[in-house]
Amino acid sequence: MGRLSELKGVERPVTEWLSKMGWTFRSNEDLKAYKRPFSNPVLEDMLIERTAHINKISPAVARVAVEQLLQNLNNPVPILGNELFLDKLASHVTITVEGDDIDVHFIDYENIWENDFTVTNQYWVQGYKMVKTDIVLLVNGIPLVPIEAKQRARKGTNWLEGVAQFSTYDQRADKLYMCHCFGVACNGRIAKYGIPGASSSYFNEWKSTLLDVSQSNPILAPANDLCRTYQDEKDGLWNFDVDRLPNGEILERMKLGIIGLLQPARVLDIVKYFMVFERTEGKIVKKVARYQQLRAANKIAERVISSDLKQGVIWHTQGSGKSLTMLYTAFKLRQSKALKDPTVYIVVDRKDLREQIGGTFDDCEFPNARTVNNIGDLKYIIDKAPAGVFITTIQKFRELGNRQDLRDNVIILIDEAHRSQYGDFQIELQNVLPNAKRFAFTGTPIPKTHQEFGIVRQKGEHEYYLDRYSIQDAIDDGATKPIRYTFGPQEWFLDKEKLKQGYDEITAELDEDEKMLVEKKVQAWKVFLKHPERIQTLAKDIAEDYRSVVEPQGYKAQVVACDKEACVLYYNELLKYFDRSEISIIFSTGAYDEGEKYELYKDHYKEDSERKKLIKQFKRRITEEEQKLGNNLKVFIVCNMLLTGFDAPIEQTMYLDSPIRDHNLLQAVARTNRPYDDKVSKLSKEFGRIVDYIGVFQNYKDALNYDPEDIGEFEDVESLVATFPKVLYDAFKPFEDIQLEDTYECAMNIVRKLTELDHGKFENSFREVVQLWESISPHPKLREHKEKYLWLNEIYEIYLEEFKRVDFDAEIYAAKTRKLIQETSKLINFKGHLPEIKIDSDYLNKLKETKLNPSDKAEKIIRDIETVIRQNEVNSAIYVEFQTRLDDLIKRKQEQSLAIEEILNQLGILYNELDEVASLPQRMGFPDKGTFEMFTLIKNASKVDFKEELAKDFVLTAFENVIKKKIYIGWQDVPREYERLQSDMELLSVNPKFEELQIDGQKELWERIMKAILQNYSLN
């Protein structure tokens, strides 16, 4: 068994860190003073006491307010109960006292140390089932943050196990679920936070090292040895740091996450300002801010409230949640008492972005927020100067005349500020709102953004970004995926000079109609791009690539053409390879299209409603149900539309045939990098993909015109092709001396070699090969490696067959590999296993009669003992001990530390004991199989010197005093009886007589004990 326990390796250090951050540790014994019944997740007496103190009211009045708050925990819909509960917690409830209405607050957000911050271990809550959370953070007695702590050294255990436990909260203990804010899962190596019930992909690390100094922070106390602290020379903000490796990488990732996220002031900040409940497609989705969202919103709020500086740039890369960041920012500004009911304008430069952001605010039911309908509406707003949040396009400010709003509590949040947010538009905007503070949000900044919205500090120092979250940051966090590019047919690359000429003619300064006027002229570079033979060649390449690479994995794609005419040319040519239901053009309806152009485009003009319907269809995975509903859409063909502000995670590939660059290029390729998890096929998007037909990526850093540190590296498929042979060679190296052929001897040699390998490393190397193959297939250079790749897949099949547990999830092969295996099944259909011998009392004698050599006989016994263990370990804990002994013999066989004859002798002894296991309980003095099972489970889980007699006494006492008194016919079908029995068992384990066994708090052990009780003591 491992020597690193959850208690000492995770729970204890986390609790100690929290105690140095301002949380007071209270044990279960300490909390008994509050007489909380397990059915109530809240320490109600403590909450009443703190509510009375905070509001300076009597305990009797506080009790009335608390009862009104806790009524929300009776909601039959847990997510609604949670929303209402947190809303009251962030604000207040109003009650009537002696004829007067008073607002009662449950948390003091202005003087946070007036609150009680408690951290405790093993917090029990009884719902439909009993839940016992490893660590809980309570504010004024409310369990706001449950923490599931897992042991890092135990095989197969990680933070994902904690996420899985969180996912049951709403069903097992709905009241605990309804009063939490967010959950944390950690395992000694890492800590991730998210919403219980959400999938693991929505749990994130907290990576910001900023300290919350809005009020006194214990971490900054001179005597506090929790971590190193320092004040940043550039921005003056206080930070902390943890131990790092010599190369600068963070060693204590879990500690960084715990300190960064769980400072008491930060937890309260999240409760009050950084939670949303989003309504989308009939569902309610709870979201908690990610670290860059909270960091940016707080920096803006700090600058607006406490600084004379009036502007700043927020660069958060595409896909990082800018719309929600703007929502959090607006909400915090609107809640500020210092700003005296401010007005926030959210300014965009396109109608679709206004709808997108307005939709985000609507979905989250943001108070006092609305879109500006028209010029007249904006004039009314300026004239009447109401407080609120107003979402509008920047173009409307051109038509306001001399109207002005001179208030100084106006804040402008400008979205996608790299485009038309400066020049004449900015002059008009600043003329109307001369005293407003302006903050530019952009996913793709350009120098003019810095000039317009940056800050020049003393000594000429330039603040380029108030907050920055780069492409590489997003990739490292898993918020976006890496982008890989490959080239189309080389002979059709556009000449670099023509590319430059084309780009000079394409300018972001023009709106859609002005671009149409410019494009009336004939440009040589476009004539080249739209050459009929070129379109034919590339359309065929697109079709072949999509069918072989993209479609098998269920993903979708965009074709980006240089103009509307090129879109139609591609569409007509692609109809040779696609059904009309599979492809669609999306472009704007031009006011200046006439004659031949109008005839060419008219069939592809779409009303807003039709365009929205197609976009909605495009975002959905193609299934039989979708096809029955008329949705078979797989490819969009575009020129300008859907290159920005279009978020479809299912899009993986972009076929690029337009000479875009700089921020336009960065925004375009970002359409492919959104994470996507398919719950049906279990496939996850590993990367976004660009097929470049125009040569933009020949020198993409010049085309993007960004600092390489900002954009990170785009991976070239050709370079990946070059690395594949080595990755395949490294995975295959252990088997290089085996003659690979369809024979029994080959299979035995593979099995022998597999017994010598570290199985974890083998699985990882195999996965790396498969994922790389999926990335670059069907590149022609892979052909020479195909047979070896297929053999590696066959070796993996043998590995699964011979070594893995029966519950192992073998769903590893991605779509293209599965297809390849099916197409080449002749190569891999052999299964050269060891001879079949019936496992019975005469097994060893029959084995002696075979012609196997001693080594193969040993392999045969090993495999068959493992088969018996796999079939029975679910029902009996004793088999775990047999597996441990078997593993030792396998190791000694590999090390050749014992002669093969002695190995065979000991294997025979082990097999005979295994065969006699049915009589073992009686021989050891246990009254029945059930008590023996519980004893064995405790023995196997023992992390200290095993106290055999004490463990035996515990299970016999449990049998006589708990189990026999609790069971009756049908008890196992009554959830509350099951829970009561488990509670009584666990309470017995903390009796001073049995504390030395140290089995309290071992969740996995208790799950196994209860399973054993069900199997052995169920009565029908």
Side-chain angles (χ1 to χ4, degrees):
M1 299 299 294
R3 296 296 178 187
L4 291 175
S5 66
E6 289 177 5
L7 176 63
K8 294 182 179 179
V10 186
E11 285 188 34
R12 189 169 292 169
V14 168
T15 304
E16 289 173 357
W17 300 336
L18 291 165
S19 298
K20 294 179 180 180
M21 293 161 58
W23 300 90
T24 300
F25 177 75
R26 292 184 171 92
S27 67
N28 284 320
E29 194 65 32
D30 297 330
L31 295 181
K32 286 180 180 179
Y34 294 98
K35 300 176 182 178
R36 175 184 71 92
F38 288 156
S39 59
N40 187 354
V42 177
L43 294 171
E44 198 166 329
D45 287 351
M46 178 187 283
L47 179 57
I48 292 169
E49 172 191 312
R50 299 316 300 172
T51 300
H53 171 75
I54 291 168
N55 296 276
K56 296 181 171 54
I57 56 179
S58 69
V61 173
R63 181 178 296 277
V64 174
V66 167
E67 287 174 353
Q68 187 172 324
L69 172 71
L70 297 185
Q71 277 299 313
N72 294 291
L73 302 185
N74 296 323
N75 198 301
V77 182
I79 188 68
L80 283 176
N82 186 225
E83 180 181 25
L84 294 168
F85 183 87
L86 290 178
D87 177 65
K88 300 301 182 187
L89 213 57
S91 53
H92 59 269
V93 299
T94 302
I95 63 173
T96 302
V97 180
E98 297 180 353
D100 295 324
D101 289 343
I102 64 169
D103 293 338
V104 179
H105 301 265
F106 303 101
I107 294 177
D108 191 333
Y109 293 98
E110 296 182 3
N111 302 290
I112 68 166
W113 299 114
E114 293 298 311
N115 300 293
D116 179 276
F117 297 103
T118 292
V119 56
T120 189
N121 297 103
Q122 309 302 320
Y123 198 74
W124 299 44
V125 178
Q126 176 72 60
Y128 176 71
K129 291 188 176 181
M130 180 71 79
V131 168
K132 186 166 62 173
T133 305
D134 294 328
I135 305 171
V136 171
L137 302 184
L138 302 104
V139 177
N140 297 340
I142 302 168
L144 284 180
V145 183
I147 304 174
E148 293 290 353
K150 301 300 153 196
Q151 188 246 105
R152 73 184 299 168
R154 182 161 56 83
K155 184 178 179 182
T157 303
N158 58 30
W159 61 273
L160 290 169
E161 190 176 341
V163 173
Q165 289 176 328
F166 281 143
S167 69
T168 66
Y169 274 21
D170 60 340
Q171 294 180 336
R172 295 170 64 200
D174 56 354
K175 288 189 177 182
L176 174 62
Y177 174 86
M178 283 189 271
C179 64
H180 88 284
C181 180
F182 59 86
V184 177
C186 54
N187 72 330
R189 183 182 69 87
I190 197 172
K192 292 203 174 191
Y193 73 105
I195 304 302
S199 68
S200 60
S201 60
Y202 292 103
F203 274 68
N204 301 290
E205 281 188 87
W206 187 276
K207 293 188 177 181
S208 171
T209 59
L210 285 178
L211 290 170
D212 191 312
V213 293
S214 57
Q215 299 189 43
S216 61
N217 193 325
I219 296 174
L220 290 171
N224 196 325
D225 62 355
L226 174 65
C227 56
R228 183 173 72 88
T229 59
Y230 63 94
Q231 192 169 18
D232 192 289
E233 294 179 358
K234 291 183 179 180
D235 57 23
L237 299 176
W238 280 94
N239 289 258
F240 70 94
D241 203 1
V242 295
D243 284 354
R244 295 175 179 268
L245 297 169
N247 64 1
E249 291 184 8
I250 296 167
L251 172 64
E252 296 182 294
R253 286 174 64 183
M254 182 178 77
K255 187 175 183 179
L256 187 147
I258 295 295
I259 297 175
L261 174 64
L262 298 180
Q263 299 163 53
R266 181 147 295 147
V267 171
L268 296 193
D269 198 24
I270 292 173
V271 172
K272 190 165 179 63
Y273 301 113
F274 293 99
M275 304 289 305
V276 295
F277 289 80
E278 188 174 85
R279 268 76 177 167
T280 176
E281 296 187 356
K283 298 179 181 178
I284 301 176
V285 179
K286 180 182 176 184
K287 294 182 178 180
V288 58
R290 298 180 61 227
Y291 70 89
Q292 81 276 5
Q293 294 172 323
L294 179 142
R295 185 181 65 196
N298 279 341
K299 284 182 178 180
I300 293 173
E302 175 68 20
R303 179 160 290 185
V304 170
I305 297 168
S306 307
S307 169
D308 293 331
L309 299 174
K310 296 185 64 172
Q311 59 190 38
V313 177
I314 308 297
W315 177 17
H316 284 193
T317 191
Q318 301 295 320
S320 60
K322 288 196 302 300
S323 294
L324 274 179
T325 304
M326 297 173 85
L327 184 149
Y328 293 132
T329 303
F331 185 66
K332 187 152 195 177
L333 292 171
R334 288 281 298 136
Q335 295 291 309
S336 170
K337 292 182 180 179
L339 294 178
K340 300 176 182 177
D341 207 12
T343 289
V344 180
Y345 286 95
I346 295 180
V347 179
V348 301
D349 72 340
R350 289 210 316 271
K351 178 184 175 184
D352 57 341
L353 284 175
R354 185 192 70 184
E355 292 174 348
Q356 176 188 333
I357 292 176
T360 299
F361 279 64
D362 287 343
D363 292 344
C364 298
E365 297 187 348
F366 189 91
N368 301 113
R370 68 176 181 86
T371 56
V372 177
N373 299 317
N374 48 46
I375 297 295
D377 191 18
L378 183 57
K379 288 178 180 178
Y380 171 83
I381 293 169
I382 298 298
D383 290 343
K384 299 298 182 181
V389 177
F390 302 100
I391 304 161
T392 182
T393 56
I394 195 168
Q395 289 84 355
K396 288 186 174 67
F397 285 89
R398 290 185 299 184
E399 303 179 36
L400 294 178
N402 294 322
R403 282 179 171 79
Q404 285 188 316
D405 183 345
L406 300 178
R407 290 176 299 163
D408 59 5
N409 65 342
V410 175
I411 305 100
I412 309 171
L413 307 179
I414 305 172
D415 187 42
E416 295 300 352
H418 59 271
R419 290 198 291 265
S420 55
Q421 313 293 44
Y422 24 76
D424 292 342
F425 289 144
Q426 274 300 321
I427 292 172
E428 298 294 342
L429 182 61
Q430 292 184 66
N431 178 62
V432 177
L433 304 170
N435 298 321
K437 295 191 176 182
R438 306 175 305 146
F439 296 90
F441 283 73
T442 180
T444 47
I446 61 176
K448 204 163 185 178
T449 311
H450 307 314
Q451 295 168 19
E452 181 65 31
F453 298 98
I455 294 291
V456 178
R457 296 180 178 274
Q458 295 177 352
K459 301 178 183 178
E461 293 181 0
H462 201 113
E463 176 195 271
Y464 291 102
Y465 311 108
L466 175 59
D467 195 73
R468 173 178 173 272
Y469 186 70
S470 71
I471 295 173
Q472 195 59 51
D473 290 333
I475 292 173
D476 292 343
D477 289 348
T480 62
K481 295 297 182 181
I483 294 174
R484 294 177 179 170
Y485 67 90
T486 187
F487 294 114
Q490 300 281 326
E491 65 272 18
W492 287 111
F493 274 175
L494 181 63
D495 181 86
K496 286 184 180 179
E497 290 303 314
K498 291 182 179 178
L499 173 62
K500 184 177 184 302
Q501 176 188 352
Y503 175 66
D504 289 341
E505 294 166 357
I506 296 179
T507 170
E509 299 287 339
L510 302 180
D511 63 25
E512 199 68 19
D513 291 337
E514 290 168 335
K515 287 180 181 179
M516 295 303 101
L517 287 172
V518 172
E519 291 181 359
K520 281 187 173 182
K521 298 180 180 180
V522 177
Q523 301 106 7
W525 63 276
K526 283 192 177 180
V527 173
F528 168 82
L529 291 183
K530 292 182 283 191
H531 189 286
E533 187 180 345
R534 182 176 184 276
I535 295 290
Q536 291 171 11
T537 301
L538 300 190
K540 182 181 179 182
D541 189 71
I542 289 170
E544 290 176 349
D545 184 86
Y546 182 82
R547 295 301 192 196
S548 61
V549 178
V550 185
E551 187 177 43
Q553 300 180 85
Y555 295 127
K556 299 190 179 184
Q558 278 193 73
V559 177
V560 181
C562 63
D563 62 15
K564 290 160 71 171
E565 181 183 12
C567 287
V568 177
L569 294 175
Y570 265 118
Y571 179 84
N572 293 336
E573 194 63 32
L574 287 169
L575 284 178
K576 296 178 180 178
Y577 311 98
F578 290 89
D579 184 82
R580 287 181 184 275
S581 64
E582 295 179 295
I583 59 176
S584 181
I585 293 176
I586 296 287
F587 54 42
S588 60
T589 301
Y592 303 99
D593 296 334
E594 56 186 35
E596 291 183 6
K597 295 293 186 186
Y598 177 77
E599 290 298 320
L600 185 65
Y601 305 153
K602 66 177 183 179
D603 292 338
H604 301 287
Y605 288 151
K606 296 173 178 67
E607 298 295 333
D608 280 352
S609 58
E610 184 182 1
R611 189 154 41 226
K612 289 177 181 177
K613 179 182 177 182
L614 287 171
I615 290 172
K616 196 171 183 180
Q617 289 179 335
F618 184 79
K619 292 180 178 182
R620 292 177 178 153
R621 191 174 66 89
I622 299 297
T623 62
E624 288 185 10
E625 290 74 15
E626 282 293 313
Q627 288 175 324
K628 287 177 183 177
L629 294 172
N631 177 18
N632 194 36
L633 185 57
K634 299 173 182 177
V635 179
F636 268 150
I637 304 170
V638 305
C639 48
N640 291 313
M641 296 190 76
L642 304 191
L643 293 184
T644 61
F646 170 63
D647 190 2
I650 199 170
E651 180 182 335
Q652 187 237 21
T653 295
M654 175 174 285
Y655 300 102
L656 183 59
D657 195 29
S658 181
I660 53 178
R661 54 177 292 145
D662 289 342
H663 60 276
N664 289 323
L665 176 58
L666 201 53
Q667 283 219 332
V669 300
R671 300 310 103 205
T672 68
N673 71 352
R674 303 297 197 269
Y676 177 74
D677 296 307
D678 188 345
K679 293 181 180 179
V680 177
S681 69
K682 308 298 183 185
L683 289 177
S684 293
K685 187 194 289 185
E686 297 291 332
F687 53 87
R689 181 168 173 266
I690 308 295
V691 180
D692 181 6
Y693 290 114
I694 208 163
V696 170
F697 279 82
Q698 283 182 314
N699 195 341
Y700 72 86
K701 287 180 180 175
D702 287 345
L704 287 168
N705 194 27
Y706 285 97
D707 186 327
E709 183 183 336
D710 293 334
I711 62 173
E713 289 290 337
F714 288 1
E715 296 177 296
D716 177 8
V717 170
E718 292 298 326
S719 65
L720 294 176
V721 171
T723 65
F724 182 78
K726 183 180 186 309
V727 174
L728 179 61
Y729 172 80
D730 290 344
F732 212 89
K733 194 172 190 306
F735 312 97
E736 61 183 357
D737 295 331
I738 298 174
Q739 184 173 347
L740 299 174
E741 55 187 359
D742 188 358
T743 63
Y744 168 79
E745 288 74 18
C746 171
M748 290 306 94
N749 289 332
I750 289 172
V751 171
R752 289 192 188 96
K753 181 56 66 176
L754 285 169
T755 62
E756 302 170 5
L757 300 182
D758 180 315
H759 287 177
K761 289 182 179 178
F762 173 66
E763 287 183 16
N764 289 336
S765 62
F766 175 73
R767 279 180 169 81
E768 185 179 2
V769 172
V770 171
Q771 289 170 356
L772 192 53
W773 178 279
E774 290 290 311
S775 301
I776 55 185
S777 173
H779 197 285
K781 289 186 179 178
L782 292 178
R783 181 173 299 172
E784 60 190 281
H785 307 291
K786 187 170 83 170
E787 184 165 334
K788 182 174 283 190
Y789 176 67
L790 286 166
W791 267 109
L792 185 63
N793 277 275
E794 174 62 15
I795 290 169
Y796 189 76
E797 285 288 345
I798 293 174
Y799 164 73
L800 295 180
E801 182 76 20
E802 296 288 345
F803 295 94
K804 295 307 293 184
R805 301 285 183 215
V806 292
D807 60 350
F808 179 75
D809 181 7
E811 179 59 48
I812 182 176
Y813 309 110
K816 287 183 280 185
T817 298
R818 283 197 295 267
K819 184 178 178 183
L820 177 66
I821 292 172
Q822 290 169 358
E823 292 171 350
T824 54
S825 58
K826 288 183 180 179
L827 172 67
I828 62 167
N829 62 5
F830 90 101
K831 297 287 182 195
H833 299 300
L834 291 159
E836 292 294 331
I837 298 174
K838 186 178 180 180
I839 301 176
D840 56 19
S841 58
D842 201 32
Y843 167 80
L844 292 177
N845 290 330
K846 291 178 180 177
L847 185 63
K848 290 177 182 178
E849 296 172 1
T850 67
K851 296 181 180 180
L852 294 176
N853 60 43
S855 180
D856 282 349
K857 285 180 181 177
E859 285 298 327
K860 175 62 178 170
I861 299 176
I862 289 170
R863 297 285 77 78
D864 289 341
I865 289 177
E866 285 197 327
T867 298
V868 174
I869 292 172
R870 284 202 299 269
Q871 291 172 345
N872 291 280
E873 66 179 345
V874 175
N875 300 315
S876 180
I878 188 61
Y879 291 95
V880 176
E881 181 180 343
F882 282 112
Q883 181 68 58
T884 302
R885 291 169 60 190
L886 178 63
D887 288 343
D888 180 63
L889 286 173
I890 292 172
K891 182 179 178 182
R892 297 174 75 177
K893 177 177 180 291
Q894 292 169 348
E895 295 172 348
Q896 298 182 348
S897 58
L898 282 179
I900 193 65
E901 289 75 12
E902 180 58 23
I903 293 286
L904 269 172
N905 180 50
Q906 293 193 25
L907 283 169
I909 294 171
L910 183 61
Y911 182 84
N912 282 326
E913 288 184 27
L914 193 64
D915 194 40
E916 296 174 358
V917 73
S919 62
L920 195 56
Q922 287 73 24
R923 286 189 278 119
M924 291 186 66
F926 288 92
D928 62 1
K929 181 171 174 286
T931 50
F932 176 66
E933 287 284 334
M934 289 188 285
F935 168 82
T936 306
L937 285 167
I938 294 170
K939 178 181 179 182
N940 292 340
S942 177
K943 298 182 176 67
V944 294
D945 293 335
F946 180 56
K947 313 294 183 185
E948 182 171 331
E949 290 304 316
L950 187 62
K952 191 172 182 180
D953 187 11
F954 171 76
V955 297
L956 294 176
T957 302
F959 177 68
E960 292 295 331
N961 296 342
V962 179
I963 297 173
K964 286 175 70 174
K965 294 179 179 180
K966 290 286 185 183
I967 63 174
Y968 56 86
I969 294 176
W971 74 270
Q972 69 275 5
D973 300 319
V974 182
R976 291 194 179 278
E977 293 294 348
Y978 176 92
E979 296 298 336
R980 289 193 187 103
L981 192 149
Q982 180 172 352
S983 298
D984 288 350
M985 290 286 293
E986 293 188 21
L987 287 172
L988 179 65
S989 73
V990 297
N991 185 298
K993 180 179 179 181
F994 300 116
E995 279 186 337
E996 197 174 354
L997 289 175
Q998 296 186 19
I999 59 178
D1000 176 48
Q1002 295 193 45
K1003 290 185 179 178
E1004 188 175 338
L1005 170 61
W1006 280 107
E1007 287 174 3
R1008 291 177 176 174
I1009 288 174
M1010 291 306 299
K1011 188 174 182 179
I1013 292 173
L1014 277 176
Q1015 288 172 339
N1016 289 281
Y1017 301 111
S1018 292
L1019 299 176
N1020 297 314

